[in-house]
Amino acid sequence: MGQWQGTKELSAVQALPVDEWSPIQVGQGCTRRDLPSVRGVRVWVVDMAPGAQWPSIDHHETGESYYVISGEVIEGDARYGAGTYVSFAPDSRHQPRTETGVRLIGLNLGTAAFLAAGGSSESITHCYHPTQG
């Protein structure tokens, strides 16, 4: 697993070569790297091989946002290429796929962080999964 690098003088600054962080296989052709972050915020990098589809429909009680670093992701009939920021509302569902391959960096808020940021508890209809923040 990758290690954060830093010095005593710059303890507030951490740098991580993302490709050195251990990927988690989440489905055929789909990996995720869960990156260290502040409490309540889940930050991750997803790589999907050409022709891959996320293995299940993702449900995000507090929403989800990602930035397409390279390649193209397909959400329903919409295609988003490199340089595109995509944001899903609270209680949304999606199942991304790709024909070309794609790398995304994204984030989710935990329930407490979502509510502290002004999110509505009425928009959270299911229990927040503890692995998401």
Side-chain angles (χ1 to χ4, degrees), residues 17-103:
V18 172
D19 288 329
E20 292 180 13
W21 203 256
S22 298
I24 300 165
Q25 188 77 30
V26 294
Q28 187 171 350
C30 300
T31 61
R32 185 186 74 230
R33 289 174 168 89
D34 292 331
L35 304 178
S37 183
V38 297
R39 184 179 176 148
V41 178
R42 181 174 161 248
V43 179
W44 42 264
V45 171
V46 162
D47 290 296
M48 294 173 64
Q53 179 170 318
W54 199 253
S56 60
I57 296 174
D58 267 0
H59 175 232
H60 302 287
E61 290 86 1
T62 61
E64 176 176 84
S65 299
Y66 63 74
Y67 177 80
V68 181
I69 297 171
S70 62
E72 179 185 71
V73 65
I74 303 167
E75 297 279 4
D77 293 330
R79 294 173 177 260
Y80 305 109
T84 305
Y85 173 75
V86 182
S87 183
F88 295 91
D91 200 28
S92 62
R93 291 167 175 78
H94 67 116
Q95 187 174 19
R97 63 185 179 90
T98 183
E99 294 173 356
T100 62
V102 69
R103 174 171 261 195

